[in-house]
Amino acid sequence: QVQLVESGGGLVKPGGSLRLSCAASGFTFSDYYMSWIRQAPGKGLEWVSYISSSGSTIYYADSVKGRFTISRDNAKNSLYLQMNSLRAEDTAVYYCARDLCSSTSCHPRAFDIWGQGTMVTVSS
Amino acid sequence: EIVLTQSPGTLSLSPGERATLSCRASQSVSSSYLAWYQQKPGQAPRLLIYGASSRATGIPDRFSGSGSGTDFTLTISRLEPEDFAVYYCQQYGSSPLYSFGQGTKLEIK
Protein backbone atom coordinates (compact mmCIF):
# COMPACT_ATOMS: atom_id res chain seq x y z
CA GLN A 1 0.00 0.00 0.00
CA VAL A 2 0.98 3.62 -0.39
CA GLN A 3 3.10 4.53 2.61
CA LEU A 4 5.56 7.05 4.00
CA VAL A 5 7.70 6.19 7.02
CA GLU A 6 9.82 8.82 8.76
CA SER A 7 12.84 8.14 10.93
CA GLY A 8 15.77 9.97 12.48
CA GLY A 9 14.08 12.05 15.14
CA GLY A 10 15.37 12.36 18.67
CA LEU A 11 16.75 14.63 21.37
CA VAL A 12 19.43 17.12 20.33
CA LYS A 13 21.05 20.09 22.05
CA PRO A 14 20.56 23.65 20.78
CA GLY A 15 22.99 24.30 17.94
CA GLY A 16 23.13 20.62 17.07
CA SER A 17 22.22 18.76 13.91
CA LEU A 18 19.88 15.96 12.91
CA ARG A 19 19.02 14.24 9.65
CA LEU A 20 15.49 12.99 9.06
CA SER A 21 14.62 10.35 6.49
CA CYS A 22 11.35 9.40 4.86
CA ALA A 23 11.00 6.06 3.08
CA ALA A 24 8.31 5.86 0.41
CA SER A 25 6.61 2.74 -0.87
CA GLY A 26 3.59 1.70 -2.92
CA PHE A 27 3.87 4.45 -5.52
CA THR A 28 6.31 5.85 -8.08
CA PHE A 29 8.22 8.16 -5.75
CA SER A 30 10.14 9.86 -8.54
CA ASP A 31 6.89 11.20 -10.03
CA TYR A 32 5.82 13.26 -7.02
CA TYR A 33 6.72 16.51 -5.34
CA MET A 34 7.33 16.08 -1.61
CA SER A 35 7.30 18.28 1.48
CA TRP A 36 8.25 18.31 5.14
CA ILE A 37 5.63 19.73 7.51
CA ARG A 38 6.01 20.10 11.26
CA GLN A 39 3.76 20.46 14.27
CA ALA A 40 5.01 21.81 17.59
CA PRO A 41 3.47 20.19 20.67
CA GLY A 42 -0.14 21.32 21.03
CA LYS A 43 0.14 23.65 18.05
CA GLY A 44 -0.96 23.78 14.42
CA LEU A 45 0.72 22.68 11.22
CA GLU A 46 3.66 24.54 9.67
CA TRP A 47 5.03 23.79 6.21
CA VAL A 48 8.84 23.55 6.30
CA SER A 49 10.20 22.70 2.86
CA TYR A 50 9.29 21.36 -0.57
CA ILE A 51 11.20 19.61 -3.33
CA SER A 52 10.10 18.91 -6.89
CA SER A 53 10.00 15.41 -8.35
CA SER A 54 13.43 15.74 -9.95
CA GLY A 55 14.92 17.68 -7.06
CA SER A 56 15.60 20.70 -9.25
CA THR A 57 13.21 23.05 -7.43
CA ILE A 58 13.36 23.60 -3.68
CA TYR A 59 11.64 26.04 -1.35
CA TYR A 60 11.92 26.68 2.39
CA ALA A 61 9.89 28.47 5.00
CA ASP A 62 11.64 31.62 6.22
CA SER A 63 11.88 30.10 9.70
CA VAL A 64 14.31 27.38 8.50
CA LYS A 65 15.99 28.97 5.48
CA GLY A 66 19.77 28.70 5.70
CA ARG A 67 19.62 26.04 8.43
CA PHE A 68 17.66 23.15 6.88
CA THR A 69 18.35 21.33 3.61
CA ILE A 70 15.85 19.11 1.82
CA SER A 71 16.98 16.45 -0.62
CA ARG A 72 15.77 13.23 -2.21
CA ASP A 73 17.20 10.05 -3.69
CA ASN A 74 14.73 8.74 -6.24
CA ALA A 75 16.75 5.53 -6.69
CA LYS A 76 16.23 4.79 -3.00
CA ASN A 77 12.65 6.13 -2.84
CA SER A 78 13.73 8.39 -0.01
CA LEU A 79 13.31 11.98 1.14
CA TYR A 80 15.64 13.70 3.59
CA LEU A 81 15.80 16.77 5.79
CA GLN A 82 19.19 17.86 7.12
CA MET A 83 18.63 20.15 10.09
CA ASN A 84 21.54 22.26 11.37
CA SER A 85 21.82 24.98 14.00
CA LEU A 86 18.75 23.62 15.73
CA ARG A 87 16.80 25.83 18.11
CA ALA A 88 14.29 25.13 20.85
CA GLU A 89 11.53 26.42 18.57
CA ASP A 90 12.31 23.64 16.08
CA THR A 91 10.90 21.12 18.57
CA ALA A 92 8.04 19.41 16.78
CA VAL A 93 6.72 16.29 15.13
CA TYR A 94 8.06 16.31 11.58
CA TYR A 95 5.90 14.77 8.86
CA CYS A 96 6.85 14.00 5.29
CA ALA A 97 3.95 14.36 2.88
CA ARG A 98 3.27 13.65 -0.77
CA ASP A 99 2.00 16.51 -2.88
CA LEU A 100 -0.79 15.94 -5.38
CA CYS A 101 1.55 17.71 -7.81
CA SER A 102 3.34 15.20 -9.96
CA SER A 103 5.52 15.24 -13.04
CA THR A 104 2.35 15.10 -15.16
CA SER A 105 0.09 17.64 -13.44
CA CYS A 106 0.34 20.30 -10.75
CA HIS A 107 -3.33 21.15 -10.40
CA PRO A 108 -4.64 20.97 -7.76
CA ARG A 109 -2.20 21.16 -4.85
CA ALA A 110 -2.62 19.44 -1.49
CA PHE A 111 -0.90 16.78 0.59
CA ASP A 112 -2.65 13.45 0.02
CA ILE A 113 -0.32 11.02 1.79
CA TRP A 114 1.33 11.66 5.16
CA GLY A 115 3.79 9.67 7.23
CA GLN A 116 3.21 8.96 10.90
CA GLY A 117 5.74 11.61 11.93
CA THR A 118 9.01 11.63 13.85
CA MET A 119 9.56 13.70 16.99
CA VAL A 120 12.44 16.15 17.19
CA THR A 121 13.20 17.66 20.59
CA VAL A 122 15.76 20.45 20.90
CA SER A 123 16.73 20.93 24.52
CA SER A 124 19.81 21.22 26.68
CA GLU B 1 1.89 36.75 2.84
CA ILE B 2 -1.48 35.01 2.86
CA VAL B 3 -2.92 34.36 6.31
CA LEU B 4 -5.72 31.83 6.74
CA THR B 5 -8.08 32.46 9.64
CA GLN B 6 -10.40 29.68 10.70
CA SER B 7 -13.57 30.13 12.69
CA PRO B 8 -14.82 29.24 15.12
CA GLY B 9 -11.83 28.14 17.16
CA THR B 10 -13.95 25.49 18.86
CA LEU B 11 -17.29 24.14 17.71
CA SER B 12 -19.44 22.10 20.13
CA LEU B 13 -22.09 19.97 18.46
CA SER B 14 -23.88 16.66 18.91
CA PRO B 15 -23.76 13.60 16.65
CA GLY B 16 -26.31 13.93 13.88
CA GLU B 17 -26.02 17.71 13.72
CA ARG B 18 -24.60 19.73 10.82
CA ALA B 19 -21.17 21.37 11.17
CA THR B 20 -20.07 24.44 9.24
CA LEU B 21 -16.41 25.43 9.46
CA SER B 22 -15.04 28.63 7.93
CA CYS B 23 -11.66 29.51 6.46
CA ARG B 24 -11.00 33.11 5.45
CA ALA B 25 -7.91 34.17 3.52
CA SER B 26 -6.26 37.59 3.80
CA GLN B 27 -5.89 37.62 -0.01
CA SER B 28 -7.64 35.78 -2.81
CA VAL B 29 -6.73 32.09 -3.11
CA SER B 30 -7.19 30.02 -6.25
CA SER B 31 -9.86 27.38 -5.63
CA SER B 32 -7.46 24.79 -7.07
CA TYR B 33 -5.14 25.46 -4.18
CA LEU B 34 -7.41 25.28 -1.13
CA ALA B 35 -7.58 22.07 0.88
CA TRP B 36 -9.05 20.78 4.15
CA TYR B 37 -7.57 18.21 6.55
CA GLN B 38 -8.81 16.30 9.58
CA GLN B 39 -6.46 15.44 12.44
CA LYS B 40 -7.22 13.21 15.39
CA PRO B 41 -5.02 13.09 18.53
CA GLY B 42 -1.76 11.27 17.96
CA GLN B 43 -2.39 10.87 14.24
CA ALA B 44 -1.14 12.51 11.09
CA PRO B 45 -3.51 14.83 9.25
CA ARG B 46 -5.78 13.26 6.63
CA LEU B 47 -6.72 15.00 3.41
CA LEU B 48 -10.49 15.51 3.17
CA ILE B 49 -11.03 18.10 0.43
CA TYR B 50 -8.77 19.47 -2.32
CA GLY B 51 -9.46 22.04 -4.99
CA ALA B 52 -11.91 23.65 -2.53
CA SER B 53 -14.69 21.13 -3.28
CA SER B 54 -13.32 17.75 -4.42
CA ARG B 55 -13.41 14.92 -1.91
CA ALA B 56 -10.22 12.91 -1.49
CA THR B 57 -10.23 9.16 -2.01
CA GLY B 58 -12.31 7.32 0.56
CA ILE B 59 -13.83 10.41 2.16
CA PRO B 60 -17.57 9.99 2.94
CA ASP B 61 -20.01 12.21 1.07
CA ARG B 62 -21.19 13.84 4.30
CA PHE B 63 -18.04 16.00 3.93
CA SER B 64 -18.29 18.81 1.40
CA GLY B 65 -16.29 21.91 0.59
CA SER B 66 -17.30 25.16 -1.04
CA GLY B 67 -16.22 28.72 -1.55
CA SER B 68 -13.97 30.89 -3.67
CA GLY B 69 -11.75 33.94 -3.47
CA THR B 70 -11.20 34.61 0.23
CA ASP B 71 -14.04 32.63 1.84
CA PHE B 72 -14.16 28.86 2.02
CA THR B 73 -16.36 26.47 3.98
CA LEU B 74 -16.15 22.85 5.08
CA THR B 75 -19.54 21.31 5.84
CA ILE B 76 -20.20 18.00 7.56
CA SER B 77 -23.84 17.22 6.90
CA ARG B 78 -24.55 14.79 9.74
CA LEU B 79 -21.88 14.36 12.36
CA GLU B 80 -20.71 10.84 13.18
CA PRO B 81 -18.83 10.11 16.44
CA GLU B 82 -15.59 9.65 14.50
CA ASP B 83 -15.82 13.17 13.01
CA PHE B 84 -14.88 14.91 16.25
CA ALA B 85 -11.34 16.12 15.61
CA VAL B 86 -9.35 19.20 14.62
CA TYR B 87 -9.80 20.55 11.09
CA TYR B 88 -7.27 22.64 9.15
CA CYS B 89 -7.55 24.55 5.91
CA GLN B 90 -4.45 25.01 3.76
CA GLN B 91 -3.50 27.11 0.75
CA TYR B 92 -0.77 26.90 -1.83
CA GLY B 93 0.69 29.62 -3.91
CA SER B 94 1.83 32.62 -1.98
CA SER B 95 4.60 33.25 0.49
CA PRO B 96 4.95 31.10 2.39
CA LEU B 97 4.51 28.58 -0.42
CA TYR B 98 2.02 26.64 1.68
CA SER B 99 0.22 27.84 4.78
CA PHE B 100 -2.33 26.39 7.15
CA GLY B 101 -5.09 27.92 9.20
CA GLN B 102 -4.80 27.68 12.97
CA GLY B 103 -7.43 24.93 13.12
CA THR B 104 -10.99 24.44 14.34
CA LYS B 105 -11.59 21.92 17.11
CA LEU B 106 -14.86 20.09 16.65
CA GLU B 107 -15.91 18.68 20.02
CA ILE B 108 -18.84 16.67 21.27
CA LYS B 109 -21.46 18.75 23.05
Side-chain angles (χ1 to χ4, degrees), chain B residues 57-78:
Chain B
T57 303
I59 301 303
D61 61 7
R62 63 180 182 273
F63 290 91
S64 63
S66 63
S68 63
T70 60
D71 289 295
F72 298 88
T73 300
L74 174 70
T75 302
I76 311 171
S77 58
R78 284 180 56 86

Side-chain angles (χ1 to χ4, degrees), chain A residues 39 47 99 107-109 111 115, chain B residues 32-33 37 39 44 50 92 98:
Chain A
Q39 187 170 36
W47 169 77
D99 201 315
H107 296 273
R109 302 295 292 264
F111 302 113
Chain B
S32 293
Y33 300 150
Y37 300 84
Q39 187 178 33
Y50 63 91
Y92 162 84
Y98 299 88

Side-chain angles (χ1 to χ4, degrees), chain A residues 41-110:
Chain A
K43 303 297 184 182
L45 300 165
E46 179 189 16
W47 169 77
V48 172
S49 182
Y50 138 115
I51 186 167
S52 61
S53 54
S54 66
S56 61
T57 302
I58 287 172
Y59 290 98
Y60 298 99
D62 287 346
S63 57
V64 306
K65 202 174 295 182
R67 300 187 299 122
F68 289 11
T69 303
I70 192 172
S71 62
R72 64 190 296 162
D73 185 334
N74 286 341
K76 294 183 177 180
N77 293 330
S78 292
L79 177 72
Y80 306 101
L81 186 68
Q82 177 66 44
M83 304 185 296
N84 298 331
S85 302
L86 282 161
R87 306 166 180 168
E89 54 265 34
D90 296 318
T91 295
V93 174
Y94 284 73
Y95 297 101
C96 64
R98 188 180 81 170
D99 201 315
L100 283 175
C101 177
S102 71
S103 53
T104 54
S105 174
C106 267
H107 296 273
R109 302 295 292 264

